[in-house]
Amino acid sequence: MSVSTKISIPNTSLSPATATSKSYTLYHLTLPHPLRTLTLPKRYSDFLALHNALCAQASTPPPAPFPPKSYLTSTISSPALTERRRQALETYCQRIATDPDPRWRETTAWKAFLELPAGSNSTSAHHTSTALAGDAGGASTAGTARGPIRTSTAWLARLADAKGLLRAARQAVARREQQDSAGTADGGWSGGSGGGGGGGGGASSWHEAGAEAKKALVRAGTLVAELERGLDVLARGEDGAERVAEGEVRRRRDVLAGVRKERDALERVVGAGVGAGVSGALRAAPAGGGESSISMVGGGVGSAGKAEQDKSALLAGAPVRSQGGGGRRRVLGAAPIPETTQTRELDNEGVLQLQKQIMEQQDEDVLDLAKVVRRMREMGVQINDELDVQKAMLDMVDEDVDRVAGKVKIAKKRVGEIK
């Protein structure tokens, strides 16, 4: 189970009395973020105003009852009442944040109460509230398409998604390693009707864990690319986006570099485990298996192996003969492209996301190349302008030389006349 980050009210405090106001109880509302923890001190009257605003804006009361006001006892003199009210207010906020109906989270009153950006859309606001109130296991939907990052809160929430995906990938790798260790301890996964039915589940679990890890890493890579683009937008503050200070941008780039490094390391671990999985599958056949066993260690290739050979030969355009003797050449296309360590354990959705990620990287490379070409073109234009200036200067020098040569000729002629 991954560590859950919840909106909570862990403690309370009493404000000191002043000349204009009496002492009152403050409830410290805590919102954990990946990089920092935000604490909002709120009075009971603030929660009551929030409740009334939610009822008015959402046209229905929130899913949890609001703790009533006590007229006979004060929280200042009754610690027991303070604790009961703290627990009730915490449950009230958590129910709003985790309820499937987002109507209360989409109100301006809720965003203002949690000091969320007023211009954030409903998707990012719902995501932020859920990330604060729910389990990090919700990272399974982190790879879905969302709008561009335009606020600091949205950037932090998406960073939490990326870390949740990396956490899920680590857990999947750990499960795969456990399956691999169990298969090695048992002498390999057993398969077939004569070798016991439990081994097939081990191999299946091994591949499922590897596929889950690879899928999470592909989605994490997509989120890392979104975070890089979003951080560039926040650093410039363009198109109405929130502006982040330069020091904070540098700190977030360091955090993002650590996330990228961790993802690359996990990807290498997942890719390195593929060879071990193939060797484990080769050990799967028992020495004296039944009819459904496929022996690939000591014997020849069985009927299933022949079928695979026929299929490969058919796709490669080799002649395939029927049982009756004759045959003909059937060409259905070239041989299939071999799998790579990146695509071997991915399903269709994972391959599609990997392709999109590679295409985005290629687009960025093309943009960088276009910038280099434009810069080279500008340098070529500047060199051409400089050559034109130098040519004009050389023409002027040539004219001066001709003029001086004419004067020298006249001077020589006068000298000759004097002689």
Side-chain angles (χ1 to χ4, degrees):
M1 178 71 67
S2 57
V3 181
S4 61
T5 57
K6 295 183 179 180
I7 181 173
S8 61
I9 305 177
N11 50 42
T12 61
S13 63
L14 291 177
S15 68
T18 61
T20 58
S21 63
K22 298 185 296 184
S23 179
Y24 52 84
T25 303
L26 287 174
Y27 300 88
H28 297 279
L29 186 68
T30 302
L31 281 71
H33 285 287
L35 303 179
R36 60 188 178 91
T37 299
L38 181 63
T39 301
L40 305 175
K42 301 289 184 180
R43 298 182 59 177
Y44 175 79
S45 58
D46 298 330
F47 286 96
L48 181 60
L50 170 67
H51 178 72
N52 295 332
L54 291 178
C55 293
Q57 295 181 13
S59 302
T60 182
F66 187 78
K69 184 177 180 61
S70 177
Y71 294 96
L72 300 179
T73 308
S74 174
T75 56
I76 299 177
S77 59
S78 176
L81 176 61
T82 302
E83 178 61 21
R84 288 196 302 270
R85 182 171 289 178
R86 183 196 65 81
Q87 295 178 0
L89 291 175
E90 184 179 55
T91 303
Y92 176 81
C93 293
Q94 290 179 353
R95 287 287 302 277
I96 294 176
T98 58
D99 195 84
D101 191 348
R103 70 177 74 180
W104 299 283
R105 294 188 296 271
E106 293 178 348
T107 59
T108 57
W110 176 258
K111 297 177 184 179
F113 185 75
L114 295 182
E115 297 184 5
L116 298 176
S120 59
N121 52 27
S122 59
T123 303
S124 61
H126 166 71
H127 168 76
T128 302
S129 301
T130 307
L132 292 173
D135 195 344
S140 60
T141 60
T144 56
R146 288 184 296 222
I149 299 176
R150 304 181 63 82
T151 63
S152 177
T153 304
W155 193 93
L156 293 173
R158 212 158 298 186
L159 177 64
D161 274 350
K163 290 186 175 181
L165 287 169
L166 294 180
R167 192 160 47 244
R170 285 197 300 271
Q171 293 173 354
V173 170
R175 290 199 306 271
R176 193 181 69 170
E177 294 297 330
Q178 291 175 358
Q179 293 292 338
D180 195 13
S181 300
T184 304
D186 296 339
W189 292 311
S190 60
S193 60
S204 176
S205 300
W206 190 94
H207 288 291
E208 288 178 0
E212 290 178 7
K214 196 65 180 178
K215 191 174 182 179
L217 290 177
V218 171
R219 291 178 174 175
T222 303
L223 283 179
V224 168
E226 293 179 1
L227 288 169
E228 289 178 346
R229 291 192 296 268
L231 192 56
D232 292 338
V233 172
L234 295 178
R236 294 188 299 264
E238 58 185 10
D239 296 335
E242 181 182 351
R243 181 71 180 270
V244 178
E246 183 178 355
E248 180 68 14
V249 170
R250 288 197 300 268
R251 187 168 65 87
R252 293 190 182 189
R253 289 195 191 280
D254 294 340
V255 173
L256 193 57
V259 172
R260 189 189 306 106
K261 183 177 180 181
E262 182 180 0
R263 179 197 171 276
D264 294 341
L266 286 172
E267 189 173 20
R268 287 193 296 270
V269 171
V270 172
V274 174
V278 174
S279 62
L282 292 176
R283 296 194 304 267
E291 296 179 356
S292 61
S293 300
I294 302 175
S295 178
M296 300 178 64
V297 178
V301 181
S303 59
K306 292 181 180 179
E308 290 296 329
Q309 283 185 348
D310 293 340
K311 179 179 178 182
S312 300
L314 179 63
L315 292 175
V320 178
R321 299 187 176 275
S322 61
Q323 296 179 355
R328 60 180 180 175
R329 185 181 182 88
R330 296 182 59 190
V331 180
L332 300 182
I337 300 176
E339 292 281 356
T340 64
T341 56
Q342 290 183 324
T343 62
R344 184 172 288 109
E345 299 179 358
L346 294 179
D347 55 4
N348 293 336
E349 183 181 356
V351 172
L352 180 60
Q353 290 188 357
L354 178 61
Q355 184 180 10
K356 290 181 179 179
Q357 180 181 352
I358 294 175
M359 291 176 65
E360 290 178 357
Q361 293 177 354
Q362 291 176 348
D363 291 340
E364 293 178 357
D365 293 339
V366 170
L367 292 177
D368 294 339
L369 181 60
K371 292 179 181 178
V372 174
V373 171
R374 284 195 297 269
R375 189 159 54 248
M376 296 297 293
R377 178 181 177 275
E378 292 174 357
M379 292 175 61
V381 172
Q382 292 177 359
I383 291 174
N384 183 61
D385 295 340
E386 183 66 22
L387 289 176
D388 292 339
V389 172
Q390 294 291 337
K391 182 177 179 297
M393 294 175 65
L394 289 174
D395 292 339
M396 294 172 61
V397 171
D398 188 49
E399 292 175 359
D400 292 341
V401 169
D402 292 339
R403 186 172 59 253
V404 172
K407 292 181 178 180
V408 170
K409 186 183 296 185
I410 294 173
K412 285 182 178 180
K413 184 177 180 180
R414 290 179 178 177
V415 170
E417 292 176 353
I418 294 173
K419 288 181 178 180

